[in-house]
Amino acid sequence: DGGITQSPKYLFRKEGQNVTLSCEQNLNHDAMYWYRQDPGQGLRLIYYSQIVNDFQKGDIAEGYSVSREKKESFPLTVTSAQKNPTAFYLCASKIQGANGYTFGSGTRLTVV
Amino acid sequence: GIQVEQSPPDLILQEGANSTLRCNFSDSVNNLQWFHQNPWGQLINLFYIPSGTKQNGRLSATTVATERYSLLYISSSQTTDSGVYFCAVDGFGNEKLTFGTGTRLTIIP
């Protein structure tokens, strides 16, 4: 079955450590996205990539970094510069110019 | 960027009742989707509906693009309908999905 896989589902890290969240898709989608969700709130865009080896900042990119070396993969690194990293992170993808976004099941990050 | 507003923010209904959720957006949209977020956080795509009307079982949606709003109807609500419903849009030449703040629906048995 085609889809988006995010791993791990739950992640605990100590304050000050960098952590990388995985997002892999086998849908042959061109564009991939990372969103952050805080409790009781909507989703906010962190970074997005429309083609391999290119990506753009979203609305809340500070403290995060990404790479897009392969079409299938768009990992997100939460750096120590991110002031409040504890949140639910969702990855999405779509075919460029076509309709509808597909979301992964999310990674819940807790920094202690 | 496009602004998305959803109403009401919270809705509590008895099982079997009908409900209408509203999404207003500030500019022309290329894409509009309704999602249901389940208790585990998974976003379930309900409708892709930048214009027109669609139905899927007890759920239906209508988007009036010229007036910049969309409605999600849930009929004969069940407890499994509980959760948060999000409307999300992107604009022409701007393929970034912007979310509303959601409507939290609680269905009481």
Side-chain angles (χ1 to χ4, degrees):
Chain A
D1 270 345
I4 299 180
T5 301
Q6 289 188 243
S7 60
K9 286 194 182 308
Y10 299 93
L11 191 53
F12 295 86
R13 277 295 180 268
K14 289 185 178 179
E15 198 169 334
Q17 288 182 335
N18 291 358
V19 60
T20 298
L21 282 58
S22 169
C23 178
E24 304 276 334
Q25 54 99 359
N26 60 5
L27 300 165
N28 200 32
H29 284 180
D30 305 300
M32 297 186 73
Y33 305 79
W34 274 106
Y35 287 86
R36 168 184 172 135
Q37 186 179 29
D38 292 287
Q41 300 193 25
L43 279 70
R44 295 181 291 167
L45 182 64
I46 304 172
Y47 267 99
Y48 64 105
S49 166
Q50 293 178 323
I51 56 172
V52 175
N53 292 323
D54 189 37
F55 48 83
Q56 285 79 40
K57 293 181 180 179
D59 301 317
I60 54 165
E62 184 175 351
Y64 299 98
S65 66
V66 293
S67 63
R68 186 85 187 276
E69 297 176 1
K70 298 185 301 181
K71 189 175 185 178
E72 302 79 21
S73 178
F74 191 41
L76 173 75
T77 296
V78 184
T79 75
S80 55
Q82 168 50 235
K83 300 262 189 285
N84 297 298
T86 294
F88 186 52
Y89 292 87
L90 283 154
C91 179
S93 71
K94 75 183 289 279
I95 292 179
Q96 194 71 354
N99 312 316
Y101 293 71
T102 302
F103 279 81
S105 56
T107 293
R108 203 167 296 276
L109 173 65
T110 303
V111 175
V112 296
Chain B
I2 299 177
Q3 306 299 310
V4 183
E5 293 182 354
Q6 291 186 244
S7 60
D10 292 281
L11 190 56
I12 301 174
L13 297 171
Q14 205 78 34
E15 197 168 23
N18 300 330
S19 57
T20 301
L21 283 59
R22 186 177 179 102
C23 172
N24 292 335
F25 43 93
S26 61
D27 205 345
S28 300
V29 297
N30 182 46
N31 175 32
L32 188 149
Q33 286 179 257
W34 282 98
F35 295 93
H36 176 213
Q37 188 167 40
N38 66 21
W40 298 271
Q42 175 82 45
L43 279 176
I44 310 297
N45 179 48
L46 298 176
F47 293 103
Y48 164 76
I49 187 165
S51 64
T53 297
K54 290 186 178 179
Q55 178 150 10
N56 183 6
R58 296 183 295 104
L59 274 61
S60 64
T62 295
T63 297
V64 183
T66 53
E67 296 187 23
R68 299 182 183 167
Y69 72 89
S70 182
L71 302 173
L72 178 68
Y73 306 97
I74 305 174
S75 64
S76 305
S77 298
Q78 300 175 359
T79 55
T80 51
D81 294 330
S82 295
V84 183
Y85 290 81
F86 287 105
C87 170
V89 305
D90 72 20
F92 293 96
N94 180 21
E95 297 201 350
K96 301 183 293 178
L97 202 60
T98 298
F99 281 76
T101 51
T103 291
R104 181 174 298 277
L105 177 64
T106 303
I107 304 299
I108 301 170

